[in-house]
Amino acid sequence: MMSICRCRAVKCRTSKRNTLFNRSDPEAPLKANEVIGEIQVMDKDQQIAHYPLVALSAVEPAGVITRIADYLKQKF
């Protein structure tokens, strides 16, 4: 969850962003323009906006070498 400060004149209130996925864990393959979830902007407990979370480009499943490279990037 990420906090976003929206300032108006002197008063400032804190909003939060929730990301909800249609799948339990979005994994490849993904199609271009596929809706994979929703982003909700919350003010306290009230939802003030929501937007679809869309894959901008197609994502193919990674091979063994790509998975090893990604693992090493995360560790170092």
Side-chain angles (χ1 to χ4, degrees):
M1 195 173 281
M2 178 176 87
S3 294
I4 304 167
C5 185
R6 300 181 334 173
C7 296
R8 293 184 183 171
V10 179
K11 188 177 179 182
C12 184
R13 50 187 204 186
T14 302
S15 298
K16 296 190 185 251
R17 172 200 46 96
N18 293 330
T19 306
L20 305 172
F21 293 102
N22 292 342
R23 305 177 189 178
S24 60
D25 186 22
E27 291 185 4
L30 297 174
K31 298 175 186 171
N33 300 318
E34 179 181 352
V35 177
I36 57 174
E38 181 179 82
I39 297 174
Q40 297 177 340
V41 180
M42 309 290 288
D43 182 21
K44 298 181 183 169
D45 292 332
Q46 181 181 5
Q47 179 179 334
I48 57 177
H50 63 95
Y51 305 97
L53 182 61
V54 179
L56 293 178
S57 60
V59 178
E60 297 300 323
V64 174
I65 294 173
T66 304
R67 289 181 180 206
I68 292 170
D70 288 344
Y71 174 78
L72 292 174
K73 287 178 188 176
Q74 289 178 355
K75 291 295 180 183
F76 301 104

